[in-house]
Amino acid sequence: MDVVSLSTLASDREKTVSYLREKGLLVTYTRCPFCGSEHIGEVRREKYKCYQCRKEWSIRRGSIFEGMKLSWEKILWAMKLFEMEVTAHKAALQLRLSYEVTLRLYTLFRKAIWVHTQKEGKSLLEGEVEMDESYFGGKRKGKRGRGAAGKIPVFGILERGGKVQVEVVEQVSAEELVRLAVAKVKRGSLVYTDRFKSYDGLVSYGFRHKRIDHGKRFANGKVYINGIEGFWSYAKGRLLQHHGVSVERFPLYLKELEWRYNHREEDLFELLLDVLREYSQVADNR
């Protein structure tokens, strides 16, 4: 959704509520959620009442926005700013909200994306696939790359012409990397890696395997891992704007970047609405 269309929608409360109901983000009650009576009605703005059991509920009941006192206008604009990769700090200033409230919204969006990527990650990658690992963390003195202290190791798999999947790993051991390869890539696929020894066992698990020696060159015909290395550059560049991400929140940011990269040619605002609808359904089943 473009900015002009969003501005028109967000300025009309009734249209916004109808839009969110249409997208499945607000529950439409035809019966009382307490006693099941059909004798219900709107008694005040965004408040409903059952005339049998006399109980009331908010229009936000049963939604992921339950308990939030923000206007629909600000919630929609927060979604747009998130889509545009405006940081929570800058979004808080533009929305005239506290940083804590804005971060709460952004974290909700990222949790929904994380759940969605777990579902997407069940589809096996296949064909020509690149694998590599990278290390994320703040600027520190000392060793860089493999074996660097204080860094977060991340394993990535990219299907050429397809999607990327990335996971935080405790260590880049052969057991861990091969386990993820078997879980995420179809047997028989052609896997490209560098010469890191942790990839030695791929052939014995049914993969075809070719390596590039980065000590000599970065590509040898079709033997290269430039695709997954391009994702690492993309992810690290995007993370710099946040000026530091905690270890606890890092997986949420990482999966957000995976989602953005995989859907970079699509309307991310509309996709975010779909992701939030999925998340609300998961939350209802907990």
Side-chain angles (χ1 to χ4, degrees):
M1 182 181 292
D2 59 54
V3 171
V4 173
S5 299
L6 180 62
S7 181
T8 302
L9 173 65
S11 63
D12 188 314
R13 188 191 73 86
E14 290 186 5
K15 286 183 178 179
T16 299
V17 169
S18 295
Y19 179 75
L20 292 175
R21 278 180 168 153
E22 176 188 327
K23 293 296 182 179
L25 292 180
L26 287 179
V27 180
T28 300
Y29 289 97
T30 58
R31 293 175 177 271
C32 172
F34 302 102
C35 72
S37 171
E38 295 181 352
H39 193 37
I40 62 175
E42 187 171 8
V43 290
R44 295 189 302 282
R45 182 173 175 174
E46 298 194 358
K47 285 287 186 179
Y48 294 83
K49 181 176 182 177
C50 174
Y51 295 105
Q52 181 159 317
C53 70
R54 316 299 292 177
K55 292 184 178 180
E56 296 184 1
W57 64 93
S58 164
I59 193 174
R60 304 179 190 226
R61 179 183 172 85
S63 78
I64 56 176
F65 305 117
E66 188 171 358
M68 291 187 183
K69 297 182 180 180
L70 295 175
S71 69
W72 298 119
E73 179 184 14
K74 290 195 175 184
I75 289 174
L76 284 177
W77 277 112
M79 291 182 192
K80 188 62 181 177
L81 293 174
F82 178 82
E83 177 222 333
M84 296 169 66
E85 298 187 79
V86 177
T87 66
H89 282 286
K90 292 181 179 179
L93 293 174
Q94 293 190 38
L95 295 170
R96 297 182 181 178
L97 295 173
S98 70
Y99 170 70
E100 290 72 20
V101 169
T102 308
L103 183 61
R104 180 186 173 191
L105 270 175
Y106 270 37
T107 300
L108 171 65
F109 302 157
R110 290 187 173 110
K111 286 181 177 179
I113 289 170
W114 187 89
V115 170
H116 178 75
T117 57
Q118 301 309 300
K119 180 180 177 181
E120 284 193 325
K122 292 180 180 179
S123 298
L124 292 178
L125 305 177
E126 60 181 319
E128 294 184 307
V129 175
E130 300 176 22
M131 294 183 186
D132 191 33
E133 79 291 339
S134 190
Y135 299 80
F136 289 74
K139 294 181 179 179
R140 295 180 177 86
K141 294 181 179 180
K143 187 176 180 180
R144 301 174 62 188
R146 288 172 179 144
K151 301 285 185 177
I152 302 174
V154 178
F155 179 54
I157 308 173
L158 180 137
E159 177 185 290
R160 290 185 182 175
K163 295 184 177 182
V164 67
Q165 291 186 24
V166 289
E167 296 288 345
V168 174
V169 293
E170 291 188 7
Q171 54 185 346
V172 290
S173 64
E175 293 79 9
E176 181 69 1
L177 300 192
V178 169
R179 179 187 68 79
L180 287 170
V182 170
K184 295 180 176 294
V185 182
K186 187 176 180 179
R187 304 292 181 92
S189 296
L190 176 55
V191 177
Y192 299 101
T193 72
D194 60 16
R195 299 191 66 82
F196 187 36
K197 63 182 181 179
S198 288
Y199 300 115
D200 287 350
L202 288 172
V203 172
S204 62
Y205 284 88
F207 299 107
R208 293 176 292 152
H209 186 198
K210 292 187 177 182
R211 302 171 183 263
I212 183 69
D213 187 346
H214 281 170
K216 297 180 179 179
R217 65 187 77 179
F218 284 93
N220 182 15
K222 295 184 71 174
V223 184
Y224 57 82
I225 54 172
N226 298 344
I228 187 63
E229 289 182 333
F231 174 79
W232 298 139
S233 296
Y234 160 83
K236 290 178 180 180
R238 293 299 195 280
L239 285 170
L240 283 175
Q241 68 179 330
H242 298 289
H243 304 292
V245 175
S246 68
V247 173
E248 294 75 21
R249 292 183 182 271
F250 176 74
L252 293 179
Y253 285 78
L254 181 68
K255 283 298 186 178
E256 175 200 341
L257 292 169
E258 175 190 303
W259 177 76
R260 288 184 182 276
Y261 185 87
N262 287 339
H263 299 283
R264 57 194 180 278
E265 302 298 329
E266 302 173 57
D267 185 335
L268 291 183
F269 184 85
E270 292 293 335
L271 286 179
L272 179 59
L273 288 167
D274 291 340
V275 165
L276 290 170
R277 184 187 69 250
E278 287 181 8
Y279 184 66
S280 66
Q281 292 169 351
V282 171
D284 285 344
N285 293 327
R286 287 177 179 172

